[in-house]
Structures are given as C-alpha cells and as structure tokens.
C-alpha cells in the first residue's frame, strides 16, 4: 500500500495568470462542505486500501492556507483520524506569503506539519504584479520570520524564471534574496504557458513578451551554478536542497512509487492503477456524497507503461535511474530494452551510463523533454 498521501485544496484568494492547476476563487465556495466530503473520501479510500504507516503527506492546491484557522484545524483532525504517522514523517503544506497568520501557523505546527512550501516566484514586486500574484517581497520575509518563531525548521520556496519581461539580473536578485533567507530548499521552475490560463490568451494575441530561449537557458544555468556555489545540491531538474532537506514526497513521484490522491482533481497511484478525481468542486462533493469516492478515470498500467514512466520520471533526478532497481521491478535489463535509445542519447552526450545508473548529463538537463520522449516507445 502507498506510504504517501497527496491532498488537494482547490481554493484561492486570487487566480494567478500562469496557473492551470485545479482551482477556484474562494469567495462564495462551499468550503466546509468540501472539507466534509474530503473527510468522507479519506474514510472510503482507506477502508478499501488500508494504509500502513504514512511517511509523507503533501497538501497542495490551489492555496491550502486560504482556509481559515477553524477549517485548517478540521482538515488536520480529519487526517489524524485516519492516518498513522511514521515517526519521521515529512508533512508539507503549500502556502502563499501573507496568507500564513500566526494563528494558522500554530494550528499547522500543533498538528504535526513540519515543512512549508511558499509560492514566492520572484522578489520583484513589479514582476509579481505582472504575473497576478497578490503578495509583495516584504511578505516573504515576514512569513519566514514568523514561521521560524513558531518552530518551522524546513522551509522551501518556489521561484520562477522565463517570465514576461524578466531579465537575467532579476533572476540573480531573487537568488540572492533566497540565499540571504538561508532556507532549506528551493524549487525553480521555468514558465510553461498552459491552455486555459490568462497568459495563454495573451500569448495568442501576441501580448506576452517572453525571454528568448537563449536567455531562458542562461537563467537556468545561473540558477544551477549559484545554487551549487551556495551549497544547495541539485537533486532533480528543478529542485535544490541543503543536504538532508530533499523533498521526500516529490521523490516518491520521481521514484514512480504508489501514493494516495485525495480531493477535487487529485491524482493517485495505487497498485497498478493511476486514478484521477472529478475536478469541479460541486461535482466532487456530489460524487462523494453518492459513493464515498469521486473517481473520474482509472487506468491500469501495463508493464510497458510502467517501464516508460520509470525512465522519464527517474531521469528527472540527478542521480538518474537505478539499474539495479529497474531490474528488480521489471525483471528486464534496461540496456537491452532501450539499447538503441541509450546508444543514441549517449552518443549525443545527453545521458551518461554505467553499471549502476542511467542519468542526464548537464547538457541533457537543458534538453530533458527531448530525452524523456526517446523512452516512450
């Protein structure tokens, strides 16, 4: 059974221009009814697939900390009523700077949350406004200081690059502020313009001034170099951590392991089946009221599917795909199964291999999606 849980809270106090996650504007939404439905889905899911000791929990969104203190407390009590925690559990929650009041931080801390993931994106106030964020840079410092006072010792932030009108100097400034805060972890993502977003509509109209591919590549290189210089290990294409602070929950995804997915629009992976939930909030609530679950689609993976996922997920890690683990999982030698692909990518200096691993080269990290595509037969 899975040892990790993802819980989705779809409510936001504002909608960012780049976001295509399952989310709704908070005002007027049936938040309490949603949390009750989530409680019921947990109950049904864990009856059908009883969990062992849970090693990681990640509450994402949306903006989970858009909930008020009472609602956060209810959510935490729901989790504790069904889940037995591993003593060394990593319990994370996403939050926006400025949303985390002292009261909310205390509720989270009292219920065992020990890792905060803050959606900072940039330390440039003008840029934050241009991408639809509601916080300012000063809110980041206040939130981090308050979280430290409450006792949080594992704080991560998200940064973005390749944003409209963003410069290499701006990326450098955000990195400097991150280092000054002395946080434990950073996820640095390039902007991907997804359909059904405000940015997508602007791009279609020719009104989204994005940096060139060369400048975006220079931004990525700057991030990698500066992180390494300041002692942050790049353990995945977009993730950097001080030693011992890698995201255990995200590694579950990249290791292609099972996890529960709960909430509207959430995805889970149990046994050989990947499942996704109904997305719209009211339809999710209705589905759970009727059946105890809200499954929109469930796909049973073939051995071929699993092998492909093992490769393109595992190659995201700088450690790469373990040859030993691959053989144990699939009773297949990856060098035989992917002989032509591995030979081609090695010759192109996009991957490097030995008896222990298959992993991206530094050049390969810049062209990751091209590499991943090669392993989908």
């Amino acid at each position: 059974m899975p040892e990790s849980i993802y819980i989705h809270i779809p409510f936001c106090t504002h909608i960012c221009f780049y976001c295509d996650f399952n989310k709704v504007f908070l005002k007027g939404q049936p938040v309490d009814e949603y949390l009750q439905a989530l409680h019921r889905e947990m109950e049904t899911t864990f009856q059908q697939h009883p969990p062992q000791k849970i090693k990681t929990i990640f509450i994402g969104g949306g903006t989970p900390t858009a909930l008020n203190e009472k609602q956060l407390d209810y959510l935490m009590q729901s989790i504790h009523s069904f889940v037995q925690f591993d003593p060394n559990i990593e319990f994370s929650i996403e939050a926006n700077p400025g949303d985390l009041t002292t009261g909310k931080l205390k509720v989270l801390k009292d219920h065992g949350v020990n890792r905060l993931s803050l959606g900072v994106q940039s330390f440039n106030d003008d840029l934050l406004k241009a991408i639809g964020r509601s916080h300012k840079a000063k809110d980041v410092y206040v939130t981090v200081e308050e979280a430290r006072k409450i006792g949080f010792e594992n704080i991560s932030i998200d940064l973005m690059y390749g944003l409209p009108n963003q410069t290499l100097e701006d990326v450098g400034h955000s990195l400097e502020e991150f280092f000054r805060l002395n946080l434990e972890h950073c996820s640095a993502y390039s902007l991907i313009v997804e359909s059904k977003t405000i940015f997508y509509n602007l791009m279609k109209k020719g009104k989204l001034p994005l940096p060139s591919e060369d400048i975006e590549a220079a931004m990525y290189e700057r991030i990698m170099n500066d992180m390494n210089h300041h002692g942050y290990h790049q353990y995945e294409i977009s993730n950097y951590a001080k030693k011992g602070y890698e995201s255990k929950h995200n590694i579950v995804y990249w290791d292609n392991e099972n996890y529960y997915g709960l909430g509207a629009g959430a995805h889970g992976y149990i046994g050989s089946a990947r499942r996704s939930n109904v997305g719209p909030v009211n339809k999710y609530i209705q589905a759970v009221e009727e059946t105890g679950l809200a499954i929109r689609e469930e796909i049973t993976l073939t051995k071929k599917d699993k092998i492909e996922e093992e490769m393109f997920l595992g190659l995201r890690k700088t450690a790469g795909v373990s040859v030993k683990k691959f053989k144990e999982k699939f009773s297949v030698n990856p060098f035989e199964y992917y002989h032509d692909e591995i030979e081609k990518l090695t010759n192109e200096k996009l991957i490097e291999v030995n008896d222990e691993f298959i992993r991206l080269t530094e050049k390969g990290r810049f062209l990751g999606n091209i590499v991943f595509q090669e392993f989908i037969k």
Side-chain angles (χ1 to χ4, degrees), residues 34-44 74 77-79 81-82 284:
Y34 177 82
L35 294 175
Q36 291 162 13
L38 187 56
H39 181 98
R40 173 86 190 281
E41 188 197 3
M42 287 186 207
E43 181 178 35
T44 307
Y74 178 89
Q77 288 190 43
S78 289
I79 295 168
S81 66
F82 297 115
Y284 167 82

Side-chain angles (χ1 to χ4, degrees), residues 119-139:
V120 172
Q121 318 314 355
S122 173
F123 286 86
N124 179 328
D125 286 346
D126 292 335
L127 193 53
L128 287 170
K129 184 177 180 181
I131 64 176
R133 300 294 286 171
S134 62
H135 73 271
K136 294 188 181 330
K138 65 180 181 182
D139 297 320

Side-chain angles (χ1 to χ4, degrees), residues 11 24 28-30 33-34 264 278-289:
F11 308 110
V24 291
Q29 293 293 329
E33 291 85 348
Y34 177 82
V278 172
V281 169
N282 286 312
K283 289 186 177 181
Y284 167 82
I285 293 171
Q286 182 182 354
V288 174
E289 286 176 348

Side-chain angles (χ1 to χ4, degrees), residues 259-324:
Y259 60 95
Y260 298 98
L262 303 163
H267 292 248
Y269 183 27
I270 301 176
S272 294
R274 289 202 178 272
R275 57 168 61 173
S276 59
N277 274 353
V278 172
V281 169
N282 286 312
K283 289 186 177 181
Y284 167 82
I285 293 171
Q286 182 182 354
V288 174
E289 286 176 348
E290 291 173 355
T291 67
L293 296 171
I295 300 171
R296 180 181 66 84
E297 183 179 41
E298 186 168 73
I299 299 171
T300 299
L301 301 183
T302 64
K303 183 177 180 179
K304 173 179 173 292
D305 295 332
K306 293 177 183 178
I307 286 174
E308 290 176 355
E309 289 190 353
E310 189 80 10
M311 292 302 295
F312 68 72
L313 290 170
L315 282 169
R316 293 190 63 89
K317 299 176 296 178
T318 52
V321 174
S322 163
V323 174
K324 180 183 176 182

Side-chain angles (χ1 to χ4, degrees), residues 52-297:
Q52 305 301 313
K53 279 191 178 179
I54 295 298
K55 294 182 177 179
T56 76
I57 299 174
F58 194 101
I59 304 175
T63 310
T65 52
L67 303 179
N68 62 36
E69 289 177 34
K70 183 178 178 182
Q71 290 162 343
L72 278 173
D73 185 67
Y74 178 89
L75 172 61
M76 295 297 152
Q77 288 190 43
S78 289
I79 295 168
H80 279 277
S81 66
F82 297 115
V83 176
Q84 184 181 10
F85 285 23
D86 182 273
N88 299 312
I89 190 170
E90 177 191 86
F91 192 173
S92 307
I93 191 167
E94 289 182 339
N96 282 341
D99 279 350
L100 274 175
T101 62
T102 302
K104 290 181 184 181
L105 283 165
K106 287 180 177 176
V107 168
L108 298 175
K109 186 68 176 170
D110 288 346
H111 285 289
V113 175
N114 53 22
R115 184 175 184 271
L116 300 177
S117 179
L118 303 178
V120 172
Q121 318 314 355
S122 173
F123 286 86
N124 179 328
D125 286 346
D126 292 335
L127 193 53
L128 287 170
K129 184 177 180 181
I131 64 176
R133 300 294 286 171
S134 62
H135 73 271
K136 294 188 181 330
K138 65 180 181 182
D139 297 320
V140 181
Y141 312 120
V142 171
T143 297
V144 169
E145 182 180 4
E146 194 61 33
R148 293 297 199 203
K149 285 180 184 175
I150 298 295
F152 284 95
E153 298 176 350
N154 190 354
I155 301 176
S156 174
I157 67 169
D158 289 352
L159 293 177
M160 294 183 73
Y161 63 97
L163 296 170
N165 292 314
Q166 190 177 30
T167 64
L168 188 58
E169 290 73 24
D170 176 76
V171 171
H173 170 68
S174 288
L175 289 169
E176 288 168 8
E177 295 305 299
F178 167 70
F179 299 134
R180 190 159 71 89
L181 285 166
N182 195 28
L183 302 179
E184 288 69 36
H185 186 280
C186 179
S187 300
Y189 301 111
S190 65
L191 173 68
I192 298 174
V193 181
E194 304 281 7
S195 60
K196 300 179 182 177
T197 64
I198 293 172
F199 273 176
Y200 181 79
N201 294 331
L202 289 172
M203 186 177 71
K204 295 289 281 185
K205 295 175 183 176
K207 296 181 178 180
L208 194 67
L210 299 176
S212 68
E213 287 185 6
D214 287 346
I215 295 210
E216 187 174 321
M219 291 174 173
Y220 184 41
E221 186 173 25
R222 171 74 180 269
I223 292 167
M224 286 194 291
N225 291 340
D226 284 13
M227 287 290 184
N228 181 60
H229 179 72
H230 284 83
Y232 289 85
H233 166 59
Q234 183 181 17
Y235 67 101
E236 191 267 349
I237 284 179
S238 303
N239 285 270
Y240 309 82
K242 292 182 179 179
K243 188 174 180 180
Y245 288 95
E246 297 84 359
S247 170
K248 295 177 184 176
H249 185 84
N250 284 339
I251 289 172
V252 169
Y253 299 150
W254 302 320
D255 280 347
N256 201 21
E257 302 292 348
N258 279 189
Y259 60 95
Y260 298 98
L262 303 163
H267 292 248
Y269 183 27
I270 301 176
S272 294
R274 289 202 178 272
R275 57 168 61 173
S276 59
N277 274 353
V278 172
V281 169
N282 286 312
K283 289 186 177 181
Y284 167 82
I285 293 171
Q286 182 182 354
V288 174
E289 286 176 348
E290 291 173 355
T291 67
L293 296 171
I295 300 171
R296 180 181 66 84
E297 183 179 41

